[in-house]
Amino acid sequence: MGDKPVIVCIRMKNPAVLSELEPYADAILVDFGVQRKALLDVISGNYEPTGLLPMHLPKDMETVEEHCEDVAFDIEPYKDTEGQTYSFGFGLNFSGKIIDERTQKYKS
């Protein structure tokens, strides 16, 4: 893509392994079934992201394979190149990590 930014949008139903694509993306948006217009509003800067993850995103495929499906929070969450950990209740907006009453209430 040269100097053009690469934005990856993932429609997620189950946790995904982001470590395989993060090095190639300038931004990653996770979508749980919103309309495309909502994604475009975020990408264009017309709407600031406010969502939090409803699950841990696994560190790698090995973590997925070792995961006990009936045990909550038993996986090591993914940590990106900026040091952000993608665990339950994590979210980013244009200013950085979302910290509000929701993130204080809903901790993994």
Side-chain angles (χ1 to χ4, degrees), residues 21-76:
L21 61 101
E22 186 202 357
Y24 308 104
D26 295 293
I28 300 172
L29 294 176
V30 174
D31 153 23
F32 291 96
V34 299
Q35 295 179 353
R36 290 183 198 262
K37 182 182 181 326
L39 290 174
L40 292 172
D41 283 343
V42 171
I43 292 168
S44 65
N46 291 328
Y47 184 80
E48 185 167 23
T50 60
L52 303 177
L53 287 174
M55 64 187 93
H56 282 353
L57 297 185
K59 177 178 121 180
D60 51 29
M61 256 336 269
E62 185 177 318
T63 301
V64 172
E65 291 166 359
E66 293 173 355
H67 167 61
C68 294
E69 296 173 3
D70 59 345
V71 179
F73 307 120
D74 74 327
I75 64 170
E76 184 176 349

